Amino acid sequence: MATAETHYTLPLPAFDKPVKLLIVVAPYYKDIADNLVAGARAVGATCGATVDLIEVPGALEVPSAIAMAERLAEYDGYVALGCVIRGETTHYDTVCNDSSRAISLLGLQGACIGNGILTVENRAQAEVRADPAGQNKGGGAAAAALHLVALSRKWAGKTKGIGFRA
């Protein structure tokens, strides 16, 4: 069981210039979403980040909103939040797989995204994972985004040149 394991958590990065994060949340399960957002905001505040919040209808719309913000707005990183609880149909698999894949593809294109969309079997699992005093997956997603922002800034402006390496 994962809760019995000891995990290492990277220390939060420090920034010399302000960081602007966008939290994109699907509040379908409002109480769970609110806890995820609270955890993400707290971690952002710890790093001195400015945090904006937008809501979208569901988990499938989270990556679309992030893609629009990446093209049209000025954010350093993104925190994807929501919760998908298994139901009676295969819709659960579609939502989990497609939202995760789209977020991963955006990340591979250079967007600094922390994925905090919970994919769980039941409400009890979601509540424990969303609780800022529990597993704090919203805070973990914000921390992931901040670590990627730090890497992006570390490597910004460096070029590899064109053609063969010397």
Side-chain angles (χ1 to χ4, degrees), residues 110-122:
C112 300
I113 307 172
N115 186 353
I117 298 177
L118 303 179
T119 55
V120 296
E121 298 295 321
N122 55 57

Side-chain angles (χ1 to χ4, degrees), residues 24-26 56 58-67 79-82 103 106 117:
V24 180
V25 63
V56 295
L60 288 174
E61 290 75 38
V62 170
S64 296
I66 291 171
V79 184
L81 299 177
I103 289 168
L106 288 168
I117 298 177

Side-chain angles (χ1 to χ4, degrees), residues 9-10 14 19 24 26 39 63 71 85 91 99-101 103 122 140 146 157 163:
T9 303
L10 292 173
V19 174
V24 180
R71 282 191 314 271
I85 299 176
H91 183 66
S99 63
S100 179
R101 180 178 167 96
I103 289 168
N122 55 57
L146 290 163

Side-chain angles (χ1 to χ4, degrees), residues 91-113:
H91 183 66
Y92 169 87
D93 298 311
T94 298
V95 174
C96 294
N97 293 334
D98 289 359
S99 63
S100 179
R101 180 178 167 96
I103 289 168
S104 293
L105 289 172
L106 288 168
L108 291 171
Q109 293 171 5
C112 300
I113 307 172

Side-chain angles (χ1 to χ4, degrees), residues 2-163:
T3 56
E5 296 288 329
T6 301
H7 300 102
Y8 174 73
T9 303
L10 292 173
L12 290 172
F15 296 96
D16 56 358
K17 295 186 311 185
V19 174
K20 191 169 180 185
L21 289 180
L22 177 64
I23 296 173
V24 180
V25 63
Y28 190 79
Y29 300 102
K30 183 82 167 109
D31 58 326
I32 293 166
D34 288 347
N35 272 342
L36 290 167
V37 169
R41 282 190 184 277
V43 168
T46 299
C47 286
T50 300
V51 178
D52 291 339
L53 173 74
I54 60 166
E55 295 180 339
V56 295
L60 288 174
E61 290 75 38
V62 170
S64 296
I66 291 171
M68 284 188 280
E70 182 74 351
R71 282 191 314 271
L72 303 171
E74 295 292 325
Y75 289 98
D76 298 301
Y78 307 92
V79 184
L81 299 177
C83 178
V84 185
I85 299 176
R86 185 179 297 279
E88 297 175 354
T89 69
T90 57
H91 183 66
Y92 169 87
D93 298 311
T94 298
V95 174
C96 294
N97 293 334
D98 289 359
S99 63
S100 179
R101 180 178 167 96
I103 289 168
S104 293
L105 289 172
L106 288 168
L108 291 171
Q109 293 171 5
C112 300
I113 307 172
N115 186 353
I117 298 177
L118 303 179
T119 55
V120 296
E121 298 295 321
N122 55 57
R123 174 171 270 282
Q125 290 177 350
E127 289 169 351
V128 169
R129 285 160 178 75
D131 185 356
Q135 291 185 15
N136 194 19
K137 296 299 185 180
L146 290 163
H147 280 289
L148 293 171
V149 169
L151 281 176
S152 177
R153 288 183 177 183
K154 175 181 177 177
W155 293 327
K158 296 185 179 183
T159 61
K160 293 185 176 186
I162 298 173

